[in-house]
Amino acid sequence: LVTGQITQLSATGIITSDGTERPIDVLIFSTGFVVADIICDLQITGLNGRNLFGEWLKTGAEAYQGITAEGFPNLLFLLGPNTGLGHNSVVHMVESQVAYLLDYLRLLDGAGEGAYLDVKPEAQRAFSDSIQEKLKGTVWASGCASWYHNEAGRNTTIWPDLNSAYRKLTRRVKPEDYVVRQIRVGGYDFVSPD
């Protein structure tokens, strides 16, 4: 367990404020109780230098099934955008997301060394549009100001359906909703096999 300040990520690990680089397999980042505007000082850079929180500041938080974000391969969220609940326990949601994450890792492992998965923009857009449509006419989108909405008034927080519907939706990763690419092993540059 490293409790010192992490100042940088490298291709294989983290670098702490004392300059020590430590190899890692997984990095877990917890935002605390920030709900609608998941914006913080952390810089998450995706493909082509895209800045996750910079984009979300403009558009509102959005992720496919609340788990993966287009342009940010191999970045997965637990309780990401539109997977919070105001009507049930989030434990069920997290369990569904962990099962999805494990299936995602199986797919990634099968793609070979240096692979990454990036959700297709059209899959993310369709999911996000369906969520916003389901929210219409609900108490979660009644026009009242609440911490479920971002500053632009968009609900980026609540899952508007049954927990069982989410479990069914996230039971398996749909490979057709992802692009599989390879990165140059030992480097930072993303290289497309096509």
Side-chain angles (χ1 to χ4, degrees):
L1 176 64
V2 176
T3 59
Q5 182 182 12
I6 298 170
T7 58
Q8 191 175 359
L9 297 178
S10 70
T12 59
I14 60 170
I15 301 171
T16 53
S17 58
D18 64 1
T20 304
E21 182 172 2
R22 293 175 173 88
I24 62 169
D25 292 320
V26 175
L27 176 66
I28 299 172
F29 174 70
S30 300
T31 61
F33 197 71
V34 177
V35 182
D37 286 316
I38 309 171
I39 309 300
C40 61
D41 290 337
L42 179 71
Q43 297 297 315
I44 297 177
T45 304
L47 297 176
N48 301 317
R50 292 172 58 185
N51 179 299
L52 180 68
F53 293 131
E55 289 183 17
W56 283 4
L57 191 58
K58 295 174 188 167
T59 64
E62 181 178 287
Y64 176 66
Q65 297 179 345
I67 302 172
T68 57
E70 181 269 323
F72 298 87
N74 295 354
L75 173 67
L76 290 89
F77 301 96
L78 297 182
L79 292 180
N82 288 110
T83 61
L85 299 175
H87 60 290
N88 212 317
S89 169
V90 296
V91 171
H92 192 269
M93 300 295 275
V94 171
E95 288 174 344
S96 298
Q97 291 165 348
V98 168
Y100 187 93
L101 183 148
L102 293 172
D103 196 40
Y104 180 101
L105 291 175
R106 279 189 287 276
L107 181 61
L108 182 61
D109 187 48
E113 185 177 352
Y116 69 88
L117 304 177
D118 189 19
V119 68
K120 293 178 180 176
E122 58 272 16
Q124 182 172 309
R125 172 63 29 227
F127 175 78
S128 183
D129 289 348
S130 73
I131 292 297
Q132 296 305 313
E133 188 61 34
K134 285 180 183 178
L135 282 164
K136 287 181 181 175
T138 69
V139 67
W140 312 116
S142 65
C144 295
S146 77
W147 54 274
Y148 296 116
H149 299 99
N150 65 12
E151 286 187 16
R154 184 169 186 229
N155 188 323
T156 59
T157 307
I158 291 293
W159 170 253
D161 207 340
L162 299 172
N163 286 24
S164 58
Y166 189 76
R167 174 72 51 98
K168 184 177 179 183
L169 178 70
T170 58
R171 186 172 310 276
R172 301 290 299 187
V173 172
K174 296 178 183 172
E176 64 272 16
D177 289 342
Y178 288 87
V179 175
V180 180
R181 301 272 194 243
Q182 299 292 322
I183 59 172
R184 193 165 359 126
V185 176
Y188 295 95
D189 297 331
F190 289 94
V191 178
S192 170
D194 350 343

